[in-house]
Amino acid sequence: MTPLPLREFHQSLGASFLDINGSEVVQNFGDASLEHRALTGSCAFLDLSYRSRLVLLGADRQKLLNGQVTNNIKELKPGTGC
């Protein structure tokens, strides 16, 4: 199983974990109403690093992807994202 990069941080906040497709993810922090208040009343981020990535190959990959999303893909340098 691939460990969660911020495991110690999440664990210090009372997180419980589970395995999704070989990657460790936060299951919850114990109280759904407190989690909801924290997410809606403050600033939060969700670690979705366990999700898959898309790889496009071919000469027209940039044009295709630029037409499918709202981000400006044409301005990105190789290996970067937005």
Side-chain angles (χ1 to χ4, degrees):
M1 174 171 59
T2 304
L4 187 65
L6 296 173
R7 184 183 213 292
E8 290 179 21
F9 172 74
H10 292 303
Q11 194 169 24
S12 74
L13 298 172
S16 61
F17 304 90
L18 66 110
D19 180 298
I20 295 181
N21 297 325
S23 293
E24 182 178 49
V25 299
V26 173
Q27 181 175 20
N28 64 57
F29 289 93
D31 184 329
S33 63
L34 288 176
E35 290 179 42
H36 182 263
R37 276 201 304 274
L39 287 168
T40 58
S42 186
C43 178
F45 73 95
L46 301 175
D47 184 350
L48 302 177
S49 60
Y50 66 92
R51 291 189 174 182
S52 297
R53 283 142 183 100
L54 181 64
V55 177
L56 299 175
L57 304 173
D60 63 345
R61 66 189 178 272
Q62 186 183 63
K63 182 179 178 183
L64 172 75
L65 188 56
N66 204 63
Q68 300 299 310
V69 298
T70 58
N71 292 321
N72 186 1
I73 303 303
K74 292 179 183 177
E75 301 297 321
L76 292 176
K77 302 285 186 249
T80 63
C82 61

